[in-house]
Amino acid sequence: MNISIFQSGWNYSQDGPGNRLLYHFQGCNFTCPWCSNPEGRPLGGTLFVRKDVLDPGICPHGAVGPEGLRREICRNCESRECLNTNRNQGIRFSCRDCSVEELIGQARESRPLFFDGGGVTITGGEATLQFDALNELLRGLKYSGIHRALETNGSHRELSDLLPDLDLLILDLKHWDDKKAFPVIGSGTDRPWKNLKKACERGGDVLARVTVIPGFNDSKEDMEEFARRLIPFSGMKNFRFELLYYHEYGKPKWEAIGKEYSGPGGSITEEDKALNKKIFEARGIPVVSS
């Protein structure tokens, strides 16, 4: 079975314990305008362009000009000389297909690097959009004795089916209010909260995250409501909670895929970060940092 991934790499303790091999699955069902990996959103992939090194000679159909890439020409192109015969650093396809067996083999060969309790973290995009392949990969990693973490937006109906093969679930909570969330991210909030409850009750390790976004979920009311909803999990030994904060690191990628960045701009002050932490900890919810 094949998996479409747009990125793989290593980090230490940011998305699970120890030194970790990360696989970013292509495709996402959310439309977050601040997304730091927008090239990973379309399930079928997209062209990723570096205008500074883009060579007009790579396209015989006239799609490359002084203004950059004319994507309307690319949409109907089947020969794709730019990616095949005339390859150039200025353009690439966002993702590649690889087999489940290939990724399991790579993880096995990487065992000596999984120090301090490390392993494999699967993220996105939203990895559950490739559910069957994800399920097969997790089972193969489990059979190989490799620690497995999944980072997800929690929206998949069958997410609980994956829990027996996971060591750690990292669940990103975007909001608590459907009316505020849906127009922005294209999805409601009910299922992620239900899946969080199921995961915590199962007994495996769970890290819930809220990325604080200016103008979307950063008000004092938002923080207090997040905290109120998380109180039932605060006494569970397998539950941890983390606050992340908006950044614009992914902004250049939006231009590279031919899209306009519409993130909120601005930032959260250090004073507000400290206040947010106090709101959760006052309700018995320690805030961890990874």
Side-chain angles (χ1 to χ4, degrees), residues 56-72:
I58 65 175
C59 179
H61 312 291
V64 180
E67 73 283 0
L69 185 67
R70 297 172 62 191
R71 292 176 182 264
E72 67 276 10

Side-chain angles (χ1 to χ4, degrees), residues 178-198:
D178 276 349
K179 292 180 180 178
K180 293 180 180 179
F182 202 94
V184 178
I185 66 172
S187 181
T189 64
D190 186 56
R191 191 170 296 128
W193 286 94
K194 287 182 177 178
N195 279 329
L196 175 63
K197 184 174 184 291
K198 290 178 182 178

Side-chain angles (χ1 to χ4, degrees), residues 5-31:
I5 65 171
F6 69 90
Q7 186 176 316
S8 62
W10 292 85
N11 73 26
Y12 184 84
S13 76
Q14 293 179 6
D15 296 293
N19 201 40
R20 308 197 67 80
L21 176 59
L22 268 67
Y23 292 119
H24 291 257
F25 280 32
Q26 184 74 28
C28 186
N29 57 324
F30 281 15
T31 57

Side-chain angles (χ1 to χ4, degrees), residues 184-240:
V184 178
I185 66 172
S187 181
T189 64
D190 186 56
R191 191 170 296 128
W193 286 94
K194 287 182 177 178
N195 279 329
L196 175 63
K197 184 174 184 291
K198 290 178 182 178
C200 288
E201 290 174 346
R202 179 187 70 95
D205 289 338
V206 177
L207 173 64
R209 285 175 168 171
V210 171
T211 299
V212 184
I213 308 295
F216 176 66
N217 62 3
D218 65 324
S219 70
K220 187 171 183 289
E221 176 195 8
D222 289 325
M223 293 297 104
E224 289 177 341
E225 184 60 22
F226 273 122
R228 187 188 70 79
R229 290 179 177 233
L230 290 171
I231 287 174
F233 309 108
S234 61
M236 297 182 176
K237 293 182 179 180
N238 62 322
F239 174 80
R240 295 182 303 141

Side-chain angles (χ1 to χ4, degrees), residues 68-141:
L69 185 67
R70 297 172 62 191
R71 292 176 182 264
E72 67 276 10
I73 295 177
C74 302
R75 291 189 190 102
N76 297 318
C77 180
E78 296 181 359
S79 52
R80 294 197 169 185
E81 288 89 349
C82 64
L83 301 176
N84 299 316
T85 57
N86 302 334
R87 295 181 66 180
N88 171 263
Q89 289 184 344
I91 190 167
R92 63 175 175 84
F93 201 62
S94 64
C95 58
R96 67 179 180 93
D97 287 341
C98 51
S99 68
V100 171
E101 291 77 14
E102 177 185 344
L103 297 187
I104 293 173
Q106 186 179 32
R108 286 173 177 168
E109 292 174 359
S110 300
R111 273 198 185 101
L113 300 175
F114 293 150
F115 50 83
D116 294 341
V120 172
T121 296
I122 301 164
T123 181
E126 173 50 46
T128 59
L129 293 190
Q130 302 183 60
F131 193 86
D132 292 340
L134 170 61
N135 200 0
E136 184 177 326
L137 176 60
L138 288 173
R139 289 178 179 177
L141 294 172

